Amino acid sequence: MEYATLNNGVKMPILGYGVYQVTKDECERCVLDALKAGYRSIDTAQSYFNEEEVGSAIKKSGIPREDIFLTSKVWIEHYGYESCKKSVEESLKKLQTDYLDLMLLHQPFSDYYGAWRALEDLYEEGKLLAIGISNFYPDRMVDIASFARIRPMVNQVETHPYNQQTAAKQYMDKYGVQIEAWAPFGEGRGGLFEDKALKEIGDKYGKTTAQVMLRWHIQRGVAVIPKSKHYERMKENFNVFDFKLSDSDMEIIFSLDKNESSFFSHYDPAMVEWFVKMVEERKNN
């Protein structure tokens, strides 16, 4: 395994397993399979509604807690100082652990500064070994990195060959914030898995397009958390440390950048309203 060293000295596996859209019914089995396949970094979130299953799987695996890098994320409805702090304590209970290796603020909306102050205090108390943000565009990342008491250690964003976040990564590198891809394959949108250039590169190394994409991310210093519900695919995604892309291969992939999101834009007021509506619906339910 290769590691990214965060700005506080914590080492984070460059490759982990994500459980976004993994249902409660499947999550425990999937995490156990991922740990069996060799993964030692597991990424969940309050909004995925599967923290309890992740915690149960880690406990059942028999792997020492200190050997697993565990990440979760605070959802918007728990922003503000007191609410965030309470929600992190609840996440710790659900995950059956007394600390998290990394806790992120999931979205750049509402009182994220109040929530960040809570993460700072929990970090200083030792309950969080690293803290960070997710989906913070360069302007808001620079804002919080410049004015917060403790600089974020990670920013988990959408990045993949069709949306490479080159300028955003330059700012993250400048401020010492580790970039992490929550959708390293872009969920295959736009035909990414069938991309001709990626297939041709994969053929040279006897690798799949998914393996090529993961290797490309890793070589450019991006941490990745691919998701699969299938054990054989988990093993395949983990098998990306036995080859290296050439400079020309990297350049070919860099040329695929469309410089636009495959999902949504946080700059779109209608999208912000959608998040607000979702938060209100969850509060009412």
Side-chain angles (χ1 to χ4, degrees), residues 27-37 56-58 60-61:
C27 188
E28 184 178 301
R29 188 268 303 169
C30 285
V31 173
L32 282 168
D33 280 351
L35 292 170
K36 180 182 176 183
S56 179
I58 290 173
K60 287 184 178 180
S61 74

Side-chain angles (χ1 to χ4, degrees), residues 51-240:
E51 286 178 313
E52 290 173 310
E53 288 71 27
V54 169
S56 179
I58 290 173
K59 189 72 71 174
K60 287 184 178 180
S61 74
I63 297 170
R65 172 66 185 87
E66 61 270 20
D67 291 345
I68 295 174
F69 191 97
L70 182 56
T71 300
S72 192
K73 311 175 195 73
V74 180
W75 187 241
I76 308 166
E77 66 199 55
H78 300 138
Y79 281 12
Y81 183 86
E82 294 296 340
S83 183
C84 177
K85 203 164 188 183
K86 182 179 178 182
S87 79
V88 173
E89 296 287 358
E90 186 64 26
S91 288
L92 291 172
K93 290 178 183 177
K94 290 179 177 179
L95 289 160
Q96 301 183 54
T97 183
D98 56 5
Y99 73 95
L100 282 173
D101 297 273
L102 176 64
M103 181 60 104
L104 309 175
L105 298 185
H106 208 151
Q107 300 287 347
F109 305 127
S110 188
D111 183 14
Y112 63 81
Y113 256 100
W116 185 254
R117 287 192 293 272
L119 294 192
E120 289 176 325
D121 286 353
L122 289 163
Y123 172 75
E124 291 180 334
E125 292 170 18
K127 292 184 178 180
L128 306 175
L129 302 189
I131 54 178
I133 51 182
S134 180
N135 297 302
F136 276 57
Y137 284 17
D139 55 342
R140 297 202 180 192
M141 189 281 296
V142 171
D143 173 31
I144 199 165
S146 299
F147 292 108
R149 187 171 83 251
I150 299 174
R151 182 171 291 182
M153 290 129 204
V154 172
N155 189 11
Q156 192 180 106
V157 299
E158 175 200 346
T159 182
H160 48 79
Y162 286 172
N163 186 28
Q164 299 183 16
Q165 300 271 24
T166 302
K169 185 178 182 301
Q170 288 174 348
Y171 274 104
M172 286 183 243
D173 290 345
K174 178 180 179 179
Y175 285 85
V177 179
Q178 173 64 43
I179 183 172
E180 184 173 29
W182 53 252
F185 307 136
E187 293 185 0
R189 298 189 181 198
L192 191 50
F193 284 121
E194 290 76 41
D195 186 274
K196 182 180 178 181
L198 294 176
K199 279 190 168 184
E200 289 178 352
I201 292 171
D203 288 344
K204 286 201 304 182
Y205 298 97
K207 296 292 184 179
T208 65
T209 54
Q211 289 171 314
V212 168
M213 283 188 272
L214 291 175
R215 188 67 222 172
W216 171 76
H217 280 297
I218 290 168
Q219 285 184 213
R220 66 191 288 250
V222 177
V224 288
I225 45 170
K227 180 208 79 177
S228 176
K229 298 178 183 179
H230 307 289
Y231 180 63
E232 289 304 318
R233 186 64 54 79
M234 292 178 193
K235 290 199 298 181
E236 182 180 280
N237 289 341
F238 196 75
N239 186 25
V240 293

